Amino acid sequence: MTRLLAAVRVTTAFRGIVTALAALTAMTAAPPSARAATEPQAPADFVSLRSVDRTIIQEMRYFTPHNFVGERIDGYRQPLCLLTRPAAEALHTAQRQLLRQGYSLKVYDCYRPQRAVDHFVRWAEDLDDEAMKAEFYPNVDKSRLFTDGYIAEKSGHSRGSTVDLTLVRLPAKPTRPYHPGEPLVPCYAPQSERFPDNSVDMGTGFDCFDTLSHTLDPRIQGEQRANRLRLKNTLEKLGFVNLAEEWWHYTYKPEPYPDTYFDFPVSAGSLTHHR
């Protein structure tokens, strides 16, 4: 009798294992298209900028806590610049021209998923979170970020042909990492006092919420103005259009997706279906 009961228990346990294995097999056997459907993918004409030009410097700020929010932004899973192919190829042409002049492009942000824009909006609505105010918006009341146009519910970056960038004089010096909690300096302070960036002096740092960031602000003169115009003139000849309120912001025209705001994450995985 004891042996019979033991045999029954073994058989029951074996059947349980078989059932569990069958369920696991069914899950893993789901077609790739069904699994991929849980995460949006980039259209086939999106590329990694590095696959088009490996010499352009990349300092993807929203993958780091060194930005106006003070933490990595939603949707930035890797520090990559993703763009539509026409925009990436135009940057490659600009880079070839600038290298001959002793400069390199450096990108801060490229394609930006809608979930990142949503993160900006949530942050802007939280008026108590001013951790990075002293650097990025020292003269702007946070309650006015929407009214003054610094934050919006949609961004041209999400269409894939807009890029935030600057110039670096070669040979490029390394940029030290930002350490959360370190003392902050206004983004419009003299370059020697601002957070050390290996770029040329544009008069303000990147993402400076201030009218001094307007590309042709008359208060910006001398070398700073010359640097802005070098970037502007180079890119505009190749089809880029500058946003007048931000010296770093350019959109390639005509845009392949002028009315589409994508939400696939910034990662190499978003491009895997291209292979």
Side-chain angles (χ1 to χ4, degrees):
M1 186 66 175
T2 301
R3 290 180 181 177
L4 178 60
L5 288 173
V8 169
R9 291 193 188 102
V10 170
T11 301
T12 302
F14 180 74
R15 287 175 178 167
I17 293 173
V18 170
T19 301
L21 287 174
L24 180 61
T25 301
M27 291 171 61
T28 57
S33 58
R35 296 197 301 273
T38 62
E39 190 70 85
Q41 293 281 294
D45 55 350
F46 270 75
V47 296
S48 168
L49 177 61
R50 205 173 299 281
S51 70
V52 176
D53 191 309
R54 300 187 65 83
T55 67
I56 295 176
I57 301 168
Q58 299 190 25
E59 184 182 320
M60 310 311 294
R61 284 288 187 89
Y62 299 139
F63 182 75
T64 79
H66 189 208
N67 58 66
F68 56 85
V69 176
E71 63 184 10
R72 184 188 297 182
I73 305 303
D74 290 354
Y76 288 83
R77 298 183 183 173
Q78 292 179 283
L80 296 174
C81 172
L82 306 183
L83 287 169
T84 58
R85 181 173 290 279
E89 291 179 346
L91 286 184
H92 171 59
T93 301
Q95 177 74 345
R96 290 195 304 177
Q97 296 176 8
L98 289 164
L99 288 175
R100 291 194 291 268
Q101 302 170 37
Y103 295 90
S104 172
L105 292 171
K106 178 168 81 168
V107 295
Y108 292 115
D109 192 38
C110 301
Y111 158 74
R112 180 184 306 165
Q114 180 61 44
R115 69 191 73 182
V117 180
D118 295 342
H119 191 168
F120 292 164
V121 170
R122 291 194 305 274
W123 166 81
E125 291 173 341
D126 180 3
L127 300 183
D128 294 327
D129 182 355
E130 296 189 324
M132 303 299 285
K133 178 177 175 62
E135 178 173 352
F136 291 96
Y137 53 109
N139 289 334
V140 179
D141 190 288
K142 193 175 182 184
S143 65
R144 293 194 56 83
L145 291 182
F146 291 105
T147 303
D148 293 350
Y150 293 112
I151 300 293
E153 294 183 352
K154 295 288 184 180
S155 169
H157 282 273
S158 301
R159 301 194 297 261
S161 297
T162 294
V163 59
D164 292 336
L165 74 176
T166 189
L167 294 174
V168 174
R169 184 71 178 172
L170 298 174
K173 298 177 181 179
T175 297
R176 74 164 176 82
Y178 165 77
H179 302 290
E182 68 177 78
L184 302 177
V185 177
C187 51
Y188 51 73
Q191 187 183 37
S192 61
E193 299 175 18
R194 299 195 302 262
F195 181 84
D197 187 308
N198 62 358
S199 66
V200 302
D201 188 3
M202 293 289 191
T204 76
F206 165 61
D207 259 356
C208 187
F209 294 3
D210 195 276
T211 54
L212 281 169
S213 294
H214 294 189
T215 307
L216 300 179
D217 187 288
R219 294 168 292 176
I220 302 297
Q221 293 295 324
E223 180 183 353
Q224 297 171 340
R225 187 176 184 85
N227 289 333
R228 291 188 183 191
L229 291 178
R230 183 188 296 273
L231 179 64
K232 186 173 187 289
N233 293 338
T234 300
L235 293 177
E236 286 185 341
K237 291 176 182 177
L238 297 170
F240 286 94
V241 176
N242 174 237
L243 179 64
E245 292 77 19
E246 298 177 351
W247 60 257
W248 56 82
H249 181 115
Y250 286 83
T251 299
Y252 181 78
K253 302 283 187 174
E255 294 183 67
Y257 300 98
D259 302 310
T260 306
Y261 296 83
F262 294 101
D263 193 38
F264 56 86
V266 177
S267 72
S270 294
L271 305 178
T272 53
H273 69 294
H274 298 182
R275 297 168 186 166

